[in-house]
Amino acid sequence: MKKAFNLFVALMAVVVMASCAGKKNFDALNGEWNVVSVGEMAVPDSVDAFMGFDIAKQLVYGSTGCNQLTGALPAEVNPEMPIFAAMGSTRMMCVDMTVEDALLPALGQVVDFKVEGDNLYFLNAAGTTVVSLAKR
């Protein structure tokens, strides 16, 4: 009976540690970030595509270089749900919508992120970078 209890306790510890390991908060995102690339496409310097995060208010905002973005952040990262599921944008037509046409679908794939220094990477479910950003 004692062995079974010890095994149960050990298994519960592993489950708790695994569930906590995947949890990540958004504090490192606070502030504004320029969109540097979407997939393999580099964003030209002439396109002011950026994303901003107000972590205290759980808000995200920005620009696709054409239209404005706004939305809410979830309480934590959940790899089964896109981070930017609750986003909206204005819908103006612009002369060049190349960046927007790539960025909006890419944001719909983002389930995780990593910050390395002044660089931010949005990752899809396969762990592939779909959007790269740099601190403004």
Side-chain angles (χ1 to χ4, degrees):
M1 182 73 156
K2 186 174 180 179
K3 279 186 179 183
F5 178 75
N6 288 341
L7 180 60
F8 174 76
V9 170
L11 286 173
M12 289 306 295
V14 168
V15 168
V16 168
M17 287 172 53
S19 67
C20 290
K23 293 183 180 179
K24 184 187 286 190
N25 65 38
F26 294 99
D27 291 344
L29 302 184
N30 211 32
E32 293 186 347
W33 303 79
N34 290 318
V35 178
V36 175
S37 65
V38 181
E40 298 297 319
M41 179 186 71
V43 175
D45 291 338
S46 60
V47 176
D48 187 26
F50 76 96
M51 294 188 74
F53 300 89
D54 184 335
I55 302 308
K57 295 179 182 177
Q58 286 186 281
L59 296 176
V60 59
Y61 59 92
S63 172
T64 64
C66 173
N67 283 289
Q68 301 302 308
L69 298 171
T70 187
L73 288 171
E76 62 187 28
V77 173
N78 176 351
E80 296 177 12
M81 180 156 187
I83 290 173
F84 302 112
M87 292 286 292
S89 73
T90 56
R91 301 301 295 167
M92 298 183 303
M93 290 297 294
C94 298
V95 174
D96 184 0
M97 297 184 66
T98 306
V99 173
E100 177 170 314
D101 289 344
L103 181 59
L104 292 177
L107 289 176
Q109 299 176 30
V110 177
V111 296
D112 199 3
F113 67 90
K114 65 180 176 180
V115 177
E116 295 177 352
D118 287 339
N119 297 305
L120 169 60
Y121 304 96
F122 290 147
L123 311 172
N124 64 15
T128 302
T129 300
V130 293
V131 181
S132 299
L133 303 96
K135 194 75 168 168
R136 274 187 141 176

